[in-house]
Amino acid sequence: MAFDPVRLSKFLSLVLRHQPEAIGLALDVQGWTAIDDLIARATAAGTAFTRAELEHVVATSDKKRFTISDDGLRIRAAQGHSVSVELGLAPSEPPAVLFHGTATRFVESIMAQGLKPQSRQHVHLSLDEANALNVGRRHGKPVIFRVDAAAMHRAGMAFYVADNGVWLTDHVPSTYLTPCATS
Ligand code: HQG
C-alpha cells in the first residue's frame, strides 16, 4: 500500500498514546519505545513502514505529535496519552493566560466541575485562541475558555510544557475559567 503520512500518524497516535498492546509493544514509564521494535511489531501486525517514512511523519506533523530521542533510537508521543505515563516534564511557569477550546455542550459540566483530563493524563491548554478554536471544533460547536494561568500558578498548581509546546495541567477549577466571546 502507498505511503500515507496521515494514516501512519494516526497509527502512531494509537500505539504510542492509547493501545501499545494492540501490536504487543511496551512503553517505558516516560512513554518511550525502541524504534526498531516498533517497526518490527507494526510490520508483523500488518502496518509496515520504513524508518524514513517514520521520520517524515515526525518531521512534518503539524502539531509535532512525536519526539525521537537524541540518540535516534527511541520515539514517544509528546502528549495526549491515555495510558499511564510519567513524561518527566519539569514544572514550568505558564504564560499569564492560556486557552482551552471545547464544545458548547460541555460548558455546563465544565462550569460545575472545572476542566478535567477525562480519558487523558492531563488537561491540554493552548497558547492562543486560534489553536483553541481548532481543538474545540474536533468536538462540535466550539467555545473557548480563557484560563487564568497566572492565578493558578500563584495558588501552587503545576504546569508542564510538552515536547511539542502544548501546556498541560492536572485540573482547572472553574473559578479560573472565563468563557470567551466567539464569533
Ligand atoms: C472536555 C488534540 C465535560 C474537554 C488537541 C474536551 C489537543 C469536559 C474533552 C489534545 C470536562 C476531552 C487534547 C468536564 C473537560 N465536563 N467535559 N468537567 N472537562 N471536558 O480530546 O483538550 O490532534 O481528551 O473540554 O490538539 O480536546 O490528538 O482533549 O473537549 O492538544 O494530537 O472533555 O488532542 O491533539 O477531549 O484535546 P480530549 P482536548 P491531537
Side-chain angles (χ1 to χ4, degrees):
M1 188 171 162
F3 172 49
D4 177 344
V6 173
R7 189 168 162 269
L8 180 54
S9 179
K10 287 182 188 296
F11 174 81
L12 293 172
S13 288
L14 179 76
V15 298
L16 296 177
R17 289 173 170 178
H18 306 301
Q19 287 177 37
E21 71 282 0
I23 59 167
L25 195 67
L27 309 183
D28 74 9
V29 283
Q30 298 204 340
W32 297 103
T33 197
I35 292 175
D36 286 351
D37 193 38
L38 167 66
I39 292 175
R41 289 179 190 275
T43 301
T47 301
F49 56 89
T50 65
R51 165 106 197 186
E53 288 166 347
L54 179 74
E55 286 179 1
H56 175 83
V57 167
V58 172
T60 59
S61 166
D62 53 348
K63 295 181 187 164
K64 302 199 183 330
R65 291 185 177 88
F66 312 104
T67 310
I68 291 180
S69 59
D70 290 339
D71 63 9
L73 296 177
R74 297 178 303 154
I75 187 169
R76 74 174 179 184
Q79 35 71 215
H81 301 80
S82 57
V83 294
S84 176
V85 287
E86 184 48 64
L87 292 173
L89 305 172
S92 301
E93 182 172 349
V97 173
L98 286 163
F99 298 91
H100 180 87
T102 186
T104 51
R105 69 181 185 285
F106 298 145
V107 168
E108 197 179 333
S109 167
I110 288 170
M111 289 318 286
Q113 305 175 340
L115 286 172
K116 303 201 299 188
Q118 307 295 49
S119 64
R120 304 202 196 233
Q121 296 276 291
H122 294 100
V123 173
H124 290 226
L125 301 172
S126 304
L127 273 173
D128 56 61
E129 293 180 71
N131 274 314
L133 195 61
N134 285 331
V135 174
R137 280 202 185 102
R138 294 160 48 253
H139 297 287
K141 186 175 183 324
V143 58
I144 299 174
F145 285 102
R146 188 177 191 279
V147 177
D148 190 346
M152 286 178 64
H153 184 64
R154 279 196 302 276
M157 286 171 244
F159 287 81
Y160 308 89
V161 206
D163 302 342
N164 63 350
V166 170
W167 282 87
L168 307 171
T169 193
D170 293 330
H171 174 233
V172 182
S174 58
T175 46
Y176 300 102
L177 293 171
T178 317
C180 296
T182 43
S183 46

